[in-house]
Amino acid sequence: MTAHAESHSAHEKKHHGAGFYIGIWIFLLFCTAATYGAAQVDMGAWNLPVGLAIATLKGAVVCLFFMHLWGDTRANQFILILSLLFVTLMISMTLADVNTRFPLTAPPNSQRFKVNPNGQLE
Amino acid sequence: MQTDAIDHGHEAKPTHLRFQFSDSARQFHAAKFGMWLFLGQEVMFFSALFCAYAYYRNQFPDAFWHASQHLNTKFGLWETVDLLTSSLTVALAIHFIRQGKRGLTSAMLIITILCAFIFLGMHSFEYYTEFHEGLLPGRFFHPEASIHLPPESAMFFTCYFFVTVLHSIHVIIGIIVLAIILAFNLRGKYSSAYYTHVEVGGLYWHLVDLVWIFLFPLLYLIT
Amino acid sequence: MSLAVVPEAAPHEAAQEPDYIRAKSGVLSWLLTVDHKRIALLYLGTVTITFFLGGLFALALRTELLVPDHGIMDAMTYNRMFTLHGVTMVFFFMIPAIPGVFGNFFLPIMIGAHDVAFPRLNLLSYYLYLAAVILGLWGMIHGGTDTGWTFYTPYSTTTTTAVLPILAAAFINGFSSILTGVNFIVTIHTLRADGLHWMRLPLFLWSIYGTAVIQVLATPVIGITLALAGVEHFLGTGIFDPAHGGDPILFQHLFWFYSHPAVYIMVLPAFGVASELVGAFTRKPLVGYKMIALSTFGIAFVGFLAWGHHLFTSGQSAVDAGVFGFVSMLIGIFTSIKIFNWVASMYKASIYMTSPFLYTLGFFFLTVFGGMSGVALATISLDVHWQDTYFVIAHFHFIMAGGVVLMFVGGLHYWFPKMFGKLYNEGWAMVAAVLVILGFIGTFTPQFLLGNEGMPRRYYSYPPHFQFLHVTSTIFAYILGMGLLLALINLIIGLINGPRAGNNPWGAPQYEWDTPSPPPEHNFSATPVINRDPYEYRGQEIIENAN
């Protein structure tokens, strides 16, 4: 491989224009407004998943387009997915622990510690 | 010289090519892969704090909601917009250096660093306010008289301070990294053939933005 | 020829090129080196010191346990002894040793590369490790800490002992580990020579790769956890303090999320060394290459899922405990795959009995029993009885000491001729190996019995009817120490006075034995092309030792 060919090997992919990145940015600003707007609406227990879903969408867009993961090597894509998998594992198992413990072991002001006026566990 | 003992062939080697790599493309790919692995570890680094946050929000949902009301949501929104903009400018910096436009690259890097300082400034103001209102972690939680918060809200502020301070430390590291890249660019180190540092530094900066994308709804927009 | 030279390259005579030890001289050429082989020796020097330091702490506490009550130290000192033994061994020896020494030395050579992908980052990894060791020593001089190496809250956040320097040392050590992991993964992906496709990778490198993945993804979690504990100790922020709504069990979840995969950081490289030793001393190709390689990832992945088995008796919910118990047993499947393949490789083989292979046999025995005791401990109903007793200590020492240490020492003997170009005295090495293996078995088997009878771990005093087992354990601990010392002295004498080693004194088939002993600075004069499998014998002969 000659030096000339080397310097262009990294550029064989078609690259987006500057306008593409600005377009992504506008989409991200729109999503931010949507997150803020969704938080003003009371959807009960759905507020958290909706907020996280929009955040995940924004994060995915940043990864895929600003960080060039779209069309990148499989190895780079895999690292991110694997770490997110382990984060999900960590959080879900620890939450499962607190949520399935005997309720009276929870702190007195916590959601799980519920005792009715007769002093019985709810 | 180190490369004397190795025979890579008889063409002239680019000055940035290190002896252990046979060609530039491989070296560039290795640098990106290495940075992605480092970002994977950064994700895990923050994950423990997200875990603590989830753990305690799950236990004290009402207290967390009450506490979140006392954060400056408008500031949080502008901080989000600011970081998203900085992500755009750093992506554009990479875009321009790929085309060899060093001047525009420097301009984009300067704007990115400026956005980072704006973020830190706004966040410092938030901390200052919270300090004065007594909304601090753990045993320092002494809300002033006009603020009525249940005692469990202290845990919200513990999580809030830990994760935002860690995030701000990463912003500061990012500023240093970007400043070094800017300095190198001004000295003409990068070109359309070699811009690895810019790409890899940009990846790091995007992570800083990514973490904030998740922090904003989780801390400021609890309903 | 196994490693063919690229045709158009000028044939450099490797013999004319000075080896990596003689290539450059001067202290700075060693302290500021970016040569992976020299960095490996820097690690070797430091881990030898930390290993013997950790061993001294162990002998001190075992000596105290000769008598049921006050022996040579008081209770507070005893608590510091076992804490510092754990901290030194886990963070400053077990985690860095095999990857830092043999991974660094042999990874580039085995893949036909001139160095790792990021040589300067490699040097930084070493200096971060050294900084951690120095900070840890500083903490020890200031009295160390008595929290146990697990730093459980609330004690670690309220103790007045020097816990902060030790926490900081472990934190910095974590970054050394992470950067090494990044370096190794990128190296294996991007610097493999032509012809070295994945299924030709030496098995040692498969395990280094699996280890590196765990290093990168798990270590940051303990970094932040120890930082949280440190900040809580320093500022009283209350994230683990029930008085402020915190939960000490959260610390345990976060701590063990790393520390369980960490044991695989320690043991997977040992499994890798075992594969190499079996490949070399059975004089026939390894059975089940693909299964051994892929089971590495089984262990690495499932290892991330099992951390809650350390929390069985801590107050974790029964649901979680059940899940973690079940998953913990699955790891045994992947480990067994390796053991069965190694044993099958020895079946009808022409065994060349040497000291490295003796260490390997000891390794099989101790790791199998250690592993089986692990599956037993994963049974919650049994663990309720055994948790925090000597049974657990025996379990992990069988694997950590009996597995990892034996493979570190065995690997050091095996690769000694390649690294230093000298031969050591095999006779004395065999004697040392026997002492070491018998020493291990004698030290830790009584501890299984002690634990099963209810002797708690980390206890300074005990009822007199346990004394016989404690004394037995201590006597064999001294035998073990003497064996290790003998092995070290023998190697040092070999280094100074030993006969010159040829390229391949063991007659082993793997790639690294085709390079000179010691290798030249950049490993190869021209980029190699690899056209054979790593365990394929081509009639290499064993060169009998001069002595």
Side-chain angles (χ1 to χ4, degrees), chain A residues 10-11 13-18 20-22 24 58-78 80, chain B residues 28-29 32-33 35-36 39 87-99 195-204 206-207 210:
Chain A
H11 309 281
K13 297 198 303 256
K14 184 171 67 76
H15 290 302
H16 308 287
F20 175 77
Y21 293 110
I22 296 173
I24 296 286
K58 286 163 77 178
V61 164
V62 168
C63 284
L64 288 173
F65 302 111
F66 279 170
M67 297 169 90
H68 308 124
L69 253 194
W70 181 269
D72 202 348
T73 62
R74 256 186 323 157
N76 290 347
Q77 294 167 340
F78 187 64
L80 191 68
Chain B
F28 179 70
H29 165 66
K32 273 186 76 170
F33 188 36
M35 179 48 84
W36 271 107
L39 295 185
S87 258
L88 167 70
T89 51
V90 85
L92 285 176
I94 299 169
H95 172 74
F96 288 132
I97 194 64
R98 271 185 187 157
Q99 298 172 342
Y195 55 89
T196 309
H197 290 171
V198 189
E199 178 97 34
V200 152
L203 281 176
Y204 182 81
H206 286 301
L207 180 89
L210 271 175

Side-chain angles (χ1 to χ4, degrees), chain B residues 3-4 8 15 29 47 57 64 93 113-114 117 122 131 133 152 173-174 188 216 219:
Chain B
T3 51
D4 278 352
H8 282 298
T15 47
H29 165 66
S47 69
R57 177 171 170 174
F64 266 54
I113 294 172
L114 214 62
F117 274 112
M122 293 181 83
F131 183 78
E133 289 175 350
E152 309 82 66
I173 295 172
F216 173 57
L219 292 175

Side-chain angles (χ1 to χ4, degrees), chain A residues 93-107:
Chain A
M93 287 308 283
T94 41
L95 282 182
D97 176 19
V98 246
N99 284 336
T100 52
R101 279 187 210 163
F102 180 61
L104 283 177
T105 59

Side-chain angles (χ1 to χ4, degrees), chain B residues 136-138 153-163, chain C residues 237-239 244:
Chain B
L136 292 170
S153 322
M155 194 47 76
F156 172 83
F157 289 103
T158 309
C159 293
Y160 165 80
F161 272 100
F162 272 123
V163 78
Chain C
T237 38
I239 201 166
H244 297 111

Side-chain angles (χ1 to χ4, degrees), chain A residues 89 93-94 96-97 100-101, chain C residues 247 253 304-305 315-317 320:
Chain A
L89 172 75
M93 287 308 283
T94 41
D97 176 19
T100 52
R101 279 187 210 163
Chain C
D247 189 350
H253 272 294
F304 269 100
L305 310 181
Q316 183 180 236
S317 76
D320 257 32

Side-chain angles (χ1 to χ4, degrees), chain B residues 68-82:
Chain B
S68 171
Q69 305 300 103
H70 289 272
L71 288 185
N72 194 330
T73 310
K74 286 285 187 304
F75 264 50
L77 191 61
W78 284 114
E79 283 158 6
T80 310
V81 170
D82 175 78

